[in-house]
Amino acid sequence: MSNVSDQADRLHADRVLVLDFGSQYTQLIARRIRESRVYSEIHPCNTPISAVRDFKPKGIILSGSPASVYDNTPPFCPPEILDMGVPILGICYGMQWITHRMSGAVSKSARREYGRADLVIDDDTDLFKDVGEASRSARGLERTTTVWMSHGDRIDRAPDGFDVIAHTANSPTAAMRHEKRRIYAIQFHPEVAHTPQGAQILKNFLYRICGCVPTWTMKAYLDQAVEQIRRRVGDAGVLCALSGGVDSAVAAVLTHRAVGDQLTCVFVDNGLLRHKEAEQVTETFRKTFKLNLRYVDASKSFLKKLKGVTDPERKRRIIGRQFIQAFEDEAKDLGRPEFLVQGTLYPDVIESVSFKGPSATIKTHHNVGGLPMRMRFKLIEPLRELFKDEVRRLGEEMGLSEEILWRHPFPGPGLAVRIIGEVTRKRLELLREADAIVEDEIRKAGLYRPIWQAFAVLLPIKTVGVMGDERTYEHVAAVRAVQSQDGMTADWARLPHEVLEAISNRIVNEVRGINRVVYDISSKPPSTIEWE
């Protein structure tokens, strides 16, 4: 983001700015604020003060960080924010930065405080209003609540003008307040689930202290987005690469609502799709949503280019190039529309401007993001301010079915990265059949929606088996099922044994060419969700 104000949603006067010091929980802070129906954005902690002022925040939250204020080059934000007169909430490192900046005393804890702690509330008039339960201790009647700590430094002395409003056994200043300047700071993380009343604490900051009104809703966002797209596009043509996934689906339907038949969607069948996926996508969007959808069967050219290729990165690059070529050919036939719709989400935007910098490339991601450089479109990114859960709520607002909104994520390179080794028609047929069985049994067991992803992988090995008293020597299929919130981390799903048994029995009996099924019990990290 080149300028904070460029991205601010002008429909919502009440907005909160989250300044990121590099915490792993920063996205959670923004999400919790939005769950309270207040618009929020994340920007690097070193965002210039002029841009902070342009944003016109009703409140500012300073995130945590793995750093210490005593590091050689500690992260910092413009000190002028402390004099803006805007309510501020410092969380963990944010609290330590405020203390250090305002001449309080920060020191290394005698022992690192990590995990759950009992917070004793000394003042419940504002930030801790309706938080905690009264209990009797050796010190008398106290109001306490459970919070999640994660810090190595602590506040030994609050800055002048600050009152201590909560403490723990290990942190004498676990929360503090400068009432006149409306600066608040807490040593724990209210955004995580391990702080049960964290949402109430954040709401107190938003509503009571900042005076925010909860107007951030998907209905409001929808109305505004439609008007913005309509005003920007005018009479020009718009192109959208439709994959059938929830992001591209919601972006396409939203844009169609704004510009109608000016939108043309292109669905490229690369031959690497799931069982009957091409038919389902084209039928759904043509018949249900009346989209102008062009179906392009490019499967032969994709498989020809992939012949003999086993390296996963080469596969991804080839598929990306072929997709661009197929899409570019269609764009020429359509007279090169002026605009291109992309399903960019807010986590992608955050990653590109993260205080820590872009993540290391674990594997090349294929999406439509490579198209604009080649094709010189003007971009329409109607979802770039939304998290995944908000995209689904927006889809619900527009009437998209649960089948579309809750489809499991599917990699851009498709089944090519779920076939370990060379991609051939025969291997694709085997994997499609096995994968369809996995999905069918997961659905039968009522587990499809609770699970983030479940799929089959075809391994490049064969094993000996016995079927009908005859020796077989056939392929091995691996089943992968994970649970996750956003795909950044994931844990393997503890599928019931009877579900695994049904999947294994059906694959071995129904898919000619597979005689053994294994289950992947690796988490991310250290593994990735996909095998390639």
Side-chain angles (χ1 to χ4, degrees), residues 111 113-122 128 131-139 142-151 164-175 187-189 194-197 201:
R111 64 181 180 87
E113 191 171 19
Y114 180 83
R116 289 181 176 85
D118 291 326
L119 183 78
V120 180
I121 298 169
D122 301 307
F128 296 117
V131 174
E133 295 182 359
S135 60
R136 190 165 294 281
S137 72
R139 294 179 296 272
E142 293 181 331
R143 195 165 190 84
T144 62
T145 187
T146 301
V147 298
W148 185 260
M149 293 284 192
S150 179
H151 63 97
V164 175
I165 57 175
H167 66 275
T168 69
N170 191 52
S171 295
T173 307
Q187 188 62 78
F188 58 90
H189 290 274
H194 300 303
T195 300
Q197 292 188 283
I201 295 169

Side-chain angles (χ1 to χ4, degrees), residues 54-74:
D54 286 346
F55 187 80
K56 296 182 174 61
K58 288 291 287 284
I60 298 172
I61 294 182
L62 310 181
S63 83
S65 173
S68 166
V69 292
Y70 294 115
D71 288 347
N72 290 331
T73 55

Side-chain angles (χ1 to χ4, degrees), residues 152-172:
D153 294 350
R154 74 174 193 176
I155 310 304
D156 275 347
R157 189 188 76 255
D160 291 344
F162 280 80
D163 300 316
V164 175
I165 57 175
H167 66 275
T168 69
N170 191 52
S171 295

Side-chain angles (χ1 to χ4, degrees), residues 333-402:
D333 290 344
L334 292 166
R336 293 194 182 279
E338 187 175 343
F339 291 91
L340 173 71
V341 177
Q342 283 196 162
T344 308
L345 301 191
Y346 194 44
D348 303 323
V349 179
I350 295 169
E351 180 67 17
S352 69
V353 297
S354 168
F355 171 72
K356 297 176 289 184
S359 299
T361 301
I362 306 302
K363 56 191 176 186
T364 303
H365 287 270
H366 160 66
N367 54 36
V368 192
L371 290 174
M373 290 187 294
R374 282 271 306 262
M375 303 179 69
R376 303 183 187 282
F377 283 108
K378 296 176 182 177
L379 283 183
I380 295 175
E381 297 176 300
L383 311 180
R384 68 176 285 120
E385 294 177 344
L386 303 183
F387 289 103
K388 191 79 165 185
D389 56 327
E390 292 174 320
V391 171
R392 288 195 169 107
R393 291 205 300 274
L394 179 61
E396 289 174 349
E397 187 71 38
M398 294 190 296
L400 273 71
S401 67
E402 284 197 8

Side-chain angles (χ1 to χ4, degrees), residues 250-486:
V250 172
V253 174
L254 172 59
T255 305
H256 182 257
R257 182 172 289 206
V259 300
D261 291 341
Q262 291 169 239
L263 173 69
T264 300
C265 293
V266 177
F267 178 79
V268 177
D269 183 353
N270 57 15
L272 308 170
L273 304 174
R274 290 170 285 197
H275 183 62
K276 293 186 176 179
E277 187 164 22
E279 297 95 320
Q280 291 169 352
V281 170
T282 52
E283 182 175 357
T284 296
F285 289 94
R286 279 176 176 164
K287 292 185 177 180
T288 305
F289 296 104
K290 311 299 182 186
L291 296 186
N292 179 15
L293 176 62
R294 291 173 69 110
Y295 170 79
V296 180
D297 184 357
S299 55
K300 288 183 180 179
S301 63
F302 275 81
L303 293 180
K304 182 179 179 181
K305 291 289 185 180
L306 289 169
K307 186 175 181 180
V309 178
T310 59
D311 179 74
E313 280 297 285
R314 278 196 65 203
K315 287 182 190 177
R316 288 175 177 270
R317 287 193 293 270
I318 289 169
I319 292 166
R321 286 196 299 267
Q322 286 301 114
F323 181 85
I324 291 172
Q325 185 62 57
F327 196 82
E328 191 170 38
D329 291 343
E330 284 301 302
K332 288 177 183 176
D333 290 344
L334 292 166
R336 293 194 182 279
E338 187 175 343
F339 291 91
L340 173 71
V341 177
Q342 283 196 162
T344 308
L345 301 191
Y346 194 44
D348 303 323
V349 179
I350 295 169
E351 180 67 17
S352 69
V353 297
S354 168
F355 171 72
K356 297 176 289 184
S359 299
T361 301
I362 306 302
K363 56 191 176 186
T364 303
H365 287 270
H366 160 66
N367 54 36
V368 192
L371 290 174
M373 290 187 294
R374 282 271 306 262
M375 303 179 69
R376 303 183 187 282
F377 283 108
K378 296 176 182 177
L379 283 183
I380 295 175
E381 297 176 300
L383 311 180
R384 68 176 285 120
E385 294 177 344
L386 303 183
F387 289 103
K388 191 79 165 185
D389 56 327
E390 292 174 320
V391 171
R392 288 195 169 107
R393 291 205 300 274
L394 179 61
E396 289 174 349
E397 187 71 38
M398 294 190 296
L400 273 71
S401 67
E402 284 197 8
E403 183 179 356
I404 296 172
L405 294 178
W406 292 96
R407 286 186 70 195
H408 286 180
F410 188 58
L415 299 180
V417 292
R418 292 179 181 174
I419 293 175
I420 312 304
E422 184 181 5
V423 179
T424 66
R425 288 191 182 275
K426 176 61 177 173
R427 289 181 174 181
L428 282 166
E429 289 169 6
L430 289 177
L431 182 55
R432 278 196 190 95
E433 291 183 54
D435 188 68
I437 290 170
V438 172
E439 180 176 327
D440 187 46
E441 290 300 326
I442 292 292
R443 287 187 182 277
K444 283 181 181 177
L447 297 172
Y448 187 82
R449 186 155 167 177
I451 290 174
W452 175 264
Q453 265 175 286
F455 54 90
V457 179
L458 192 66
L459 304 188
I461 55 175
K462 291 185 176 182
T463 65
V464 173
V466 178
M467 298 182 72
D469 295 326
E470 292 185 359
R471 178 185 183 276
T472 63
Y473 189 61
E474 295 177 335
H475 289 278
V476 177
V479 175
R480 178 76 157 143
V482 298
Q483 292 176 313
S484 178
Q485 291 294 317
D486 52 17

Side-chain angles (χ1 to χ4, degrees), residues 24-50:
Q24 61 178 320
Y25 300 135
T26 300
Q27 283 198 36
L28 266 182
I29 299 172
R31 289 177 66 171
R32 296 292 177 259
I33 297 170
R34 291 187 181 196
E35 286 167 7
S36 300
R37 295 176 58 191
V38 175
Y39 183 71
S40 65
E41 284 188 14
I42 299 171
H43 291 273
C45 59
N46 55 3
T47 297
I49 188 62
S50 59

